[in-house]
Amino acid sequence: MKLDELFAVDEAHVIGSAVRLDEIPPQYRRLPVLGRGATTIALAKDEDTAILFTRDEMKSDWLRNGIHIVTHREVVVPARAHHLAGMNDIELWMLEMPRLRKLSPENARRVRQELKTFTEILTKHQHKIRNPHGVISAVSAEYDDEHPDSLLAPLFYWLLNYDPSQYHLDLGQRQFLETMDGEIVLVDPVVSSELMAIFHRNQFAGWM
């Protein structure tokens, strides 16, 4: 995998969705939609709880084992088949977690500074190391040694559990939200390579 393939993916500009609204169980379809991306639909269960439907196993594991925010997780049977070839072979997960809100101006400033520092750290190691796993290891070590309290330090420690071929990083300010108490949460920093490959295969197939 090339380094630009690891670090330059922007999920917000992917065409299509890994989860269709008409796939999810009927009892959830009328819940208010909190957000929708290429791999996930987020719904409001109530004032305090969000329900996510996703096929992104990387995202599910990050929320559950990376930041321990998931209160319930289960596989659901889709109500109908997905229209994209290959998507039906991937399990559809339902996750429950606390509802979050947009960043306050103060927290947004902190996140922008964190991302600036991350870009500097990443660029430095990309210039020295030519394989993706080596870059992630070096970035993780630097955060551990020099920025242990960073919002991004837990992410790079968690990523050491995976081969870089399994994911793409997707880091931007929109990946951060905050709790009702104002604690910053990195909710969506990675995208499953498997899902991205399905999107691209189907997109190119439509051009032929």
Side-chain angles (χ1 to χ4, degrees):
M1 171 181 282
K2 297 179 181 178
L3 289 177
D4 58 354
E5 293 175 338
L6 175 60
F7 297 110
V9 169
D10 183 353
E11 181 189 350
H13 294 93
V14 172
I15 297 173
S17 176
V19 183
R20 295 168 54 112
L21 187 60
D22 57 6
E23 278 190 288
I24 68 175
Q27 64 267 32
Y28 298 105
R29 293 178 194 167
R30 296 197 178 193
L31 295 178
V33 176
L34 297 174
R36 184 169 187 173
T39 67
T40 305
I41 295 176
L43 307 173
K45 180 180 179 180
D46 53 42
E47 292 184 356
D48 301 314
T49 309
I51 295 178
L52 276 61
F53 290 91
T54 186
R55 281 192 168 90
D56 193 335
E57 180 61 32
M58 292 294 300
K59 177 181 298 184
S60 175
D61 189 59
W62 166 249
L63 293 172
R64 185 177 181 227
N65 298 312
I67 58 175
H68 309 286
I69 200 171
V70 172
T71 57
H72 175 74
R73 185 177 83 148
E74 66 178 273
V75 174
V76 298
V77 178
R80 60 166 292 170
H82 200 284
H83 67 288
L84 292 182
M87 202 63 75
N88 296 301
D89 297 328
I90 302 177
E91 290 179 324
L92 178 60
W93 289 93
M94 183 181 75
L95 313 175
E96 289 193 15
M97 56 182 279
R99 284 185 64 170
L100 303 171
R101 66 187 183 190
K102 292 182 179 180
L103 296 173
S104 67
E106 180 180 357
N107 280 340
R109 285 192 294 272
R110 181 183 173 189
V111 166
R112 287 194 292 271
Q113 182 57 52
E114 288 268 3
L115 293 172
K116 180 176 182 291
T117 300
F118 161 68
T119 301
E120 294 169 353
I121 293 172
L122 175 64
T123 301
K124 175 177 64 176
H125 291 297
Q126 281 183 315
H127 287 163
K128 296 177 182 178
I129 305 169
R130 297 312 304 166
N131 75 84
H133 186 74
V135 172
I136 291 295
S137 296
V139 170
S140 178
E142 180 159 341
Y143 271 102
D144 189 47
D145 292 340
E146 300 183 24
H147 309 279
D149 297 324
S150 167
L151 298 171
L152 296 178
L155 170 64
F156 291 100
Y157 179 78
W158 172 80
L159 283 175
L160 295 177
N161 295 308
Y162 289 94
D163 185 271
S165 65
Q166 295 176 270
Y167 63 85
H168 299 280
L169 281 177
D170 185 18
L171 282 175
Q173 187 171 325
R174 70 181 182 280
Q175 272 76 41
F176 293 83
L177 296 171
E178 68 180 37
T179 66
M180 300 306 170
D181 295 327
E183 180 181 354
I184 301 173
V185 180
L186 175 56
V187 294
D188 193 12
V190 290
V191 185
S192 162
S193 296
E194 183 180 21
L195 285 181
M196 295 297 290
I198 291 174
F199 283 130
H200 289 305
R201 282 200 304 270
N202 282 276
Q203 184 178 359
F204 291 135
W207 295 345
M208 296 178 182

